[in-house]
């Protein structure tokens, strides 16, 4: 039996990529990885520290290299960071190596889900989180959509239900 195609979750911070990705992996009997967590694990420091020391460009380079490595793994569901789509090389890689699912979420949900997070370097020091998230969405939404095989609004659904819905959609388009 052939392995499942890899599944890559993209979307803004707070969309639930990690939580939903784990559920999809459970349902499909696949491995799960989170590219941001792997960067932290391999470097031994959190992403905020990398941003402080190397800037966003340094982090994006590490992220690109990590996604290239992880996307080579077979039978894997991967949650990517919210800004992973900024580099065309990363977008091309994700599109070529698997099925891309865009977890679309509202600004209100993002604000609610990121409000207490201390590991969001893009939001650290932002005097207007809503304005920052709005700007990021305007910049990134077209990039998410450009590589998405399916777009799934997250709404207020539970992660388990959303994961089942995504698996059903993937099966319907013949990719799972």
């Amino acid at each position: 039996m052939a392995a499942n195609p890899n599944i890559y979750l993209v979307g803004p911070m707070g969309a639930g990529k990690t939580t939903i990705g784990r559920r999809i992996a459970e349902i499909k009997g696949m491995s799960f990885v989170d590219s941001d967590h792997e960067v932290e694990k391999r470097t031994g420091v959190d992403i905020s520290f990398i941003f402080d020391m190397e800037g966003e460009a340094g982090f994006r380079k590490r992220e690109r290299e990590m996604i290239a490595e992880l996307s080579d793994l077979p039978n894997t569901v991967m949650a990517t960071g919210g800004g992973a789509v900024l580099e065309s090389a990363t977008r091309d890689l994700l599109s070529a190596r698997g099925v891309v699912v865009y977890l679309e979420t509202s600004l209100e949900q993002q604000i609610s889900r990121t409000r207490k997070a201390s590991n969001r370097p893009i939001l650290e020091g932002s005097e207007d989180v809503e304005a920052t998230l709005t700007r990021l969405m305007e910049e990134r939404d077209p990039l998410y959509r450009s590589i998405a095989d399916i777009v799934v609004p997250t709404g207020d659904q539970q992660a388990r239900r959303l994961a089942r819905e995504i698996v059903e959609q993937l099966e319907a388009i013949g990719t799972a």
Side-chain angles (χ1 to χ4, degrees):
M1 179 164 77
N4 294 306
N6 285 349
I7 300 168
Y8 306 121
L9 302 176
V10 299
M13 64 182 92
K17 297 180 296 288
T18 300
T19 303
I20 294 166
R22 282 193 177 107
R23 300 283 188 260
I24 292 170
E26 287 172 15
I27 293 168
K28 305 260 317 141
M30 298 172 75
S31 300
F32 173 78
V33 292
D34 179 302
S35 62
D36 283 352
H37 293 166
E38 287 299 314
V39 168
E40 290 180 334
K41 190 165 97 176
R42 304 255 180 111
T43 61
V45 297
D46 65 21
I47 290 170
S48 294
F49 185 81
I50 296 170
F51 264 73
D52 288 346
M53 302 281 53
E54 302 176 4
E56 185 173 0
F59 170 72
R60 295 292 170 215
K61 179 181 183 293
R62 289 179 182 274
E63 177 181 58
R64 180 181 65 250
E65 292 167 354
M66 183 59 62
I67 289 173
E69 179 183 330
L70 296 173
S71 65
D72 235 2
L73 299 172
N75 206 38
T76 301
V77 177
M78 183 193 327
T80 64
V85 297
L86 292 173
E87 296 203 10
S88 62
T90 303
R91 291 193 307 273
D92 293 345
L93 192 85
L94 294 172
S95 291
R97 292 189 175 173
V99 180
V100 180
V101 178
Y102 170 22
L103 297 182
E104 182 182 48
T105 189
S106 71
L107 179 62
E108 294 75 25
Q109 287 171 320
Q110 279 190 278
I111 292 169
S112 171
R113 293 173 183 171
T114 61
R115 183 177 310 138
K116 296 177 184 165
S118 60
N119 60 341
R120 310 281 186 183
I122 297 285
L123 296 181
E124 288 175 16
S126 175
E127 292 188 22
D128 188 345
V129 170
E130 184 174 340
T132 299
L133 291 172
T134 298
R135 178 184 54 78
L136 292 173
M137 184 54 73
E138 288 170 356
E139 174 183 77
R140 296 174 181 181
D141 180 71
L143 301 174
Y144 297 137
R145 290 180 188 285
S146 73
I147 61 169
D149 293 294
I150 63 172
V151 177
V152 179
T154 58
D156 289 327
Q157 293 186 61
Q158 293 180 334
R160 195 172 309 279
R161 180 177 295 153
L162 266 171
R164 280 195 301 266
E165 178 184 317
I166 290 165
V167 170
E168 288 171 7
Q169 286 190 42
L170 292 170
E171 289 170 351
I173 62 171
T175 59

